[in-house]
Amino acid sequence: MRACLVWLTLLLLFQASAAAQEVSLAGRWDVVYLDSQLGKVTGIARVDEDQRSVVVEYRQPASGVRYRLQGTLARRDGMIEVRLHGEQPASGDWTLPPVGQPVPAAGDLSLTLGDSSLVLPVAAPPPADGTLRLSLALGGDGSLLTGTWSQAVDPVTGRDATGGGRAGDFALGDDGGVGAVMTGIESWHRPRAQPIIAFALEPQFETTGGEPDFPQPFDAAGRGVRPLADRRLIALFGEELPETYGDAALLGSDDPGIDYSLYRLPWDFERPGADRWALDRARALLETQVDPAMRERLRHSDVIILEARLHPGVTPGPKTFTLNGAEAAWLLQYGDWSGQFALSRDLGFGQSEAADYLVPGETF
């Protein structure tokens, strides 16, 4: 029985490890690490798993200055190993506090006390080249990486070759060498999309020559009645939205008659000569679609443009979709669907009649 349990445990561990190997790491991650001098340092990482490369931009919490590091990423024994190079946030001119007496730069150090003497060679420590090493484990549903960071430092100052680097738990090398290392905790997590408001960019009730530009898109036989009437561009405002096409952007629809896809991301609008019509239209509609209190907040929020494709049978009204599991809604309208506005007069006993006229003092 015990042997069966051991084999079952090994099998489950193997399956979990295999599943972890299949999870894509590509795209954007929000990162945070702890520095004993700076406190919590945050940043953004972007992974290109095909090229096994990673770029991380850390923000110095006190000054706001951003530092860009580049490096490589590999999967080894169920862990994610990252190597980064470049200048990183540092806590000014902080160094380890001096202890004891200075040691000569070369030669031997002789110590004598009474009849006893001791000669110690002065060894040169290896260069603290500033390489940052991350060892991270994939957790949860594949949206979290947690582990440690480490960096070789000078054994006297605790700093790298530039006089900077991270500050954490200090330790001398335990491999027989004379180097030293700083270590600490680091975690990466996928951004959690926070949609705030969504609306169609098209003027859905606009007409040309007395005919609606966006009528019910299909006839009774399911044939399209007008080019592009079966599509809508949706502006989505929010926080932590995808920025480039490598970022996670899983779209879902609560209405089987509508499919959603990415149309424009911030990356598209930042390119030289980019067509900014959709973004400009979204910003302009923001002034009329949202109350002033929220409008100011949304002016500084993320915005992406989605395309909604309609299929025969879909009816107008509020439509809900999801982005990376977070819900948002917009209003689908057809230009040839209209209604009549009327008032009715309550006659009592559950009866009413259409009001063809009004009497002063009546309440509706």
Side-chain angles (χ1 to χ4, degrees), residues 29-49:
W29 297 80
D30 289 347
V31 305
V32 59
Y33 73 85
L34 296 181
D35 185 290
S36 63
Q37 300 302 307
L38 298 177
K40 183 171 71 174
V41 181
T42 60
I44 295 175
R46 295 193 179 279
V47 174
D48 185 334
E49 199 161 17

Side-chain angles (χ1 to χ4, degrees), residues 27-90:
R28 174 182 166 181
W29 297 80
D30 289 347
V31 305
V32 59
Y33 73 85
L34 296 181
D35 185 290
S36 63
Q37 300 302 307
L38 298 177
K40 183 171 71 174
V41 181
T42 60
I44 295 175
R46 295 193 179 279
V47 174
D48 185 334
E49 199 161 17
D50 291 336
Q51 300 296 322
R52 298 183 180 179
S53 63
V54 59
V55 176
V56 186
E57 190 176 78
Y58 293 104
R59 179 183 177 277
Q60 216 273 11
S63 66
V65 175
R66 299 182 182 277
Y67 296 82
R68 182 183 177 91
L69 287 79
Q70 296 178 289
T72 60
L73 174 144
R75 300 175 187 250
R76 293 192 181 94
D77 300 326
M79 300 294 290
I80 312 301
E81 304 292 339
V82 179
R83 299 291 182 269
L84 295 173
H85 304 274
E87 185 182 2
Q88 46 187 314

Side-chain angles (χ1 to χ4, degrees), residues 8-226:
L8 179 59
T9 302
L10 291 175
L11 177 60
L12 292 174
L13 288 173
F14 174 79
Q15 290 175 337
S17 177
Q21 293 292 329
E22 296 173 359
V23 173
S24 173
L25 302 175
R28 174 182 166 181
W29 297 80
D30 289 347
V31 305
V32 59
Y33 73 85
L34 296 181
D35 185 290
S36 63
Q37 300 302 307
L38 298 177
K40 183 171 71 174
V41 181
T42 60
I44 295 175
R46 295 193 179 279
V47 174
D48 185 334
E49 199 161 17
D50 291 336
Q51 300 296 322
R52 298 183 180 179
S53 63
V54 59
V55 176
V56 186
E57 190 176 78
Y58 293 104
R59 179 183 177 277
Q60 216 273 11
S63 66
V65 175
R66 299 182 182 277
Y67 296 82
R68 182 183 177 91
L69 287 79
Q70 296 178 289
T72 60
L73 174 144
R75 300 175 187 250
R76 293 192 181 94
D77 300 326
M79 300 294 290
I80 312 301
E81 304 292 339
V82 179
R83 299 291 182 269
L84 295 173
H85 304 274
E87 185 182 2
Q88 46 187 314
S91 49
D93 53 4
W94 174 86
T95 62
L96 288 174
V99 178
Q101 299 297 318
V103 174
D108 297 336
L109 177 65
S110 299
L111 301 174
T112 301
L113 180 62
D115 295 334
S116 299
S117 62
L118 178 66
V119 178
L120 294 173
V122 177
D129 62 1
T131 299
L132 182 64
R133 294 171 171 81
L134 309 180
S135 183
L136 307 171
L138 191 64
D141 57 357
S143 63
L144 179 66
L145 292 168
T146 57
T148 60
W149 61 262
S150 64
Q151 184 176 28
V153 295
D154 184 277
V156 175
T157 66
R159 305 279 75 186
D160 63 17
T162 68
R166 298 185 177 186
D169 295 326
F170 174 81
L172 293 174
D174 57 2
D175 58 356
V178 293
V181 64
M182 284 283 187
T183 59
I185 298 173
E186 181 152 344
S187 67
W188 295 18
H189 65 272
R190 291 291 194 188
R192 297 188 180 276
Q194 302 173 40
I196 299 175
I197 190 172
F199 48 78
L201 295 185
E202 295 86 355
Q204 299 184 85
F205 280 113
E206 193 163 289
T207 61
T208 302
E211 295 294 325
D213 292 344
F214 297 93
Q216 182 172 341
F218 304 97
D219 61 19
R223 295 186 296 262
V225 300
R226 187 170 187 148

Side-chain angles (χ1 to χ4, degrees), residues 311-340:
H311 299 287
V314 65
T315 57
K319 301 299 175 183
T320 303
F321 64 91
T322 58
L323 172 62
N324 296 335
E327 285 192 351
W330 63 288
L331 183 61
L332 171 63
Q333 296 173 309
Y334 295 155
D336 55 352
W337 280 44
S338 60
Q340 293 182 336

Side-chain angles (χ1 to χ4, degrees), residues 232-249:
R232 298 289 189 276
L233 294 182
I234 310 300
L236 175 62
F237 288 81
E239 307 292 343
E240 301 292 353
L241 304 183
E243 296 180 356
T244 73
Y245 290 95
D247 294 346

